[in-house]
Amino acid sequence: MASASKSDLLRQIPSVDELLRQPRMAALAARIDRELLLEITRAALTDLRARLSAEADDTHGRRTIILPLDPAVLQNEIANAVEQILAQSLQPVINATGVILHTNLGRAPLTEAAVEEFRRTATQYSNLEYDLEAGARGKRDVHTAQLLDRLTGAEAAVVVNNCAAAVLLVLAALARDGEVLVSRGELIEIGDGFRIPEIMAQSGATLREVGTTNRTRLADYESAITEKTRVLLRVHPSNFQITGFTDKPSLTELAALASRSNLPLVEDLGSGCLVDLSTYGIVEPLVRHSIEAGAHIVMFSGDKLLGGPQAGIIAGKNDLVAKIRRHPLFRALRVDKLTIAALEATLGAYLRAAYDEIPALRMIRLTADDIKHRAENLLRELTHEIPLGKSEGASGVKLDLVDGESLVGGGSTPAQSLPTKLIHIASNRYSAAQLEQRLRRAPAGVSVIARVESDALVLDLRTVLPGQEPALVQSIAAALR
């Protein structure tokens, strides 16, 4: 192909109108807004001119050889830019990490019933804030309040958009311009820099620390109470443990002190466990137990151990919940109809004791033998895709099934794990880090998130949904080729 000078080549660059008259560009114009296509086209032409100028100028005194412009290449760049913009950024992935409530991957997957409620509620009108019996305006809280009251033993409940919002709203409503007593050992920080003291400051309440990091006694709270005290706050340290020389009063003792002092006892439980999971190796405080122990307000998440949508649930005494609901922040922090629909469906599964309908609880309840059986079946399926065996062979791939541990995650159950079976994959062709990257970048169309341990790629099927296993096999096979 003959060379051309920089000025000759720049003159070959078509105008925007010339480009848009081409059949391929006309087809793109039929798919997206014309103004957007014009913006993308102009940006592509500007980028092309800059690249040509840079290439010609970076010669260090040598004659530059520039190939004539290929219009098809330019059109292809524009088409790729359009496809990238049209592609959905938020997309499903396969979670093979074994972390059930993986915050970065969306925490708890929803029940099928919740998805159906999404469809039913989103595609038509609903009685979100309309009382069908009275024929007048109602409150959106009623759809979940009775379910929460039954499941937690609370007198009333409202829902906001997450547990951090619940903490902010409760403290703003009950303790603004006053003091909140909290143990030093409970001044926690969870993911993405969320810190209890900072949320407290935003609420307008003043933090009053009591006790020490490892030992706080009831007398520490009692001696700190003044006319400025508005709330006794208990925070469940859901993402860490303090062990050894430790002490703290029971919730019942704190509740008795709160009653004697005419103060509300507020507990931030974080993960929101509604059923006893100790049989499966997970020990977390139950919301009902906190209510029964005398907590006046309990706050917890909807998308952690509860297994529902992202939400912050505030449950407790009627008068306090009513005061919290009247606060101006409530309207700013309240949830929409889709969250209510999903939460109602999830809570309904609890009332029916249909725990296996809730994906997070179903994963927790799986035994190591259950996962071993699934892993063996998956390895058999994988051998149909590429020539693999359980020992290293001509393919240069080694597969092992080993004992391991799954985590609940999501700021829940620190130092607690679930026994599982792990698939270890090692390859002569790719390092474990390269395999992890290839799976994540989806060579077969579905991104798989795994982990790397001891120079091997590690997959835990506890967090792989049963319907995802065929896609997982295809993705593993593609990554190993």
Side-chain angles (χ1 to χ4, degrees), residues 169-420:
L169 175 60
V170 168
L171 294 181
L174 302 184
R176 186 172 185 82
D177 298 326
E179 292 184 348
V180 176
L181 305 189
V182 60
S183 169
R184 279 191 176 87
E186 296 171 5
L187 296 177
I188 66 170
E189 175 180 329
I190 60 174
D192 203 25
F194 168 74
R195 291 180 169 184
I196 287 291
E198 292 173 359
I199 291 294
M200 193 175 296
Q202 290 299 316
S203 73
T206 300
L207 168 67
R208 180 80 181 273
E209 300 177 30
V210 299
T212 63
T213 301
N214 59 318
R215 290 176 68 85
T216 301
R217 299 178 178 86
L218 188 67
D220 294 322
Y221 289 92
E222 196 163 13
S223 62
I225 293 174
T226 69
E227 69 280 357
K228 295 181 180 179
T229 307
R230 299 291 179 271
V231 164
L232 304 186
L233 178 63
R234 177 74 165 262
V235 182
H236 177 50
S238 54
N239 61 351
F240 74 97
Q241 281 188 333
I242 299 176
T243 60
F245 188 58
T246 63
D247 189 25
K248 68 177 182 179
S250 69
L251 196 61
T252 302
E253 291 173 321
L254 274 179
L257 173 61
S259 295
R260 292 196 304 271
S261 307
N262 197 28
L263 293 169
L265 172 60
V266 174
E267 184 174 31
D268 175 9
L269 271 181
S271 61
C273 192
L274 295 184
V275 295
D276 185 1
L277 299 173
S278 59
T279 302
Y280 309 99
I282 300 300
V283 180
E284 276 285 294
L286 301 185
V287 178
R288 177 175 286 277
H289 289 175
S290 291
I291 295 293
E292 291 173 348
H296 298 96
I297 291 292
V298 178
M299 303 166 290
F300 54 98
S301 295
D303 58 345
K304 292 185 179 179
L305 282 175
L306 193 149
Q310 177 181 298
I313 299 166
I314 302 167
K317 297 295 184 182
N318 256 323
D319 58 337
L320 294 178
V321 172
K323 183 176 182 179
I324 291 163
R325 196 190 187 286
R326 288 194 300 269
H327 194 279
L329 269 179
F330 176 73
R331 185 172 182 85
L333 300 174
R334 69 181 184 176
V335 294
D336 73 338
K337 60 186 178 183
L338 297 184
T339 301
I340 290 172
L343 184 57
E344 189 176 11
T346 305
L347 296 174
Y350 276 96
L351 284 180
R352 293 181 285 106
Y355 304 129
D356 280 346
E357 291 183 12
I358 302 170
L361 294 191
R362 185 176 65 242
M363 292 175 190
I364 289 173
R365 288 153 59 91
L366 287 173
T367 67
D369 284 342
D370 294 332
I371 297 168
K372 178 183 177 182
H373 178 69
R374 289 180 61 191
E376 289 172 341
N377 288 340
L378 185 136
L379 292 180
R380 280 193 292 270
E381 290 295 323
L382 191 57
T383 60
H384 297 315
E385 298 297 324
I386 53 177
L388 295 174
K390 287 194 175 181
S391 61
E392 192 170 0
S395 62
V397 175
K398 183 180 180 183
L399 300 179
D400 291 303
L401 194 57
V402 302
D403 293 334
E405 295 180 338
S406 308
L407 297 175
V408 174
S412 302
T413 66
Q416 298 181 56
S417 59
L418 300 166
T420 190

Side-chain angles (χ1 to χ4, degrees), residues 123-185:
T123 57
Q124 51 194 319
Y125 295 107
S126 66
N127 63 329
L128 177 66
E129 290 188 356
Y130 188 77
D131 187 330
L132 294 173
E133 184 67 27
R137 180 170 183 164
K139 295 181 178 179
R140 64 181 63 196
D141 312 327
V142 299
H143 306 291
T144 54
Q146 289 187 359
L147 296 172
L148 287 166
D149 295 349
R150 286 184 180 275
L151 290 167
T152 66
E155 295 176 1
V158 292
V159 183
V160 291
N161 55 27
N162 60 27
C163 200
V167 175
L168 174 65
L169 175 60
V170 168
L171 294 181
L174 302 184
R176 186 172 185 82
D177 298 326
E179 292 184 348
V180 176
L181 305 189
V182 60
S183 169
R184 279 191 176 87

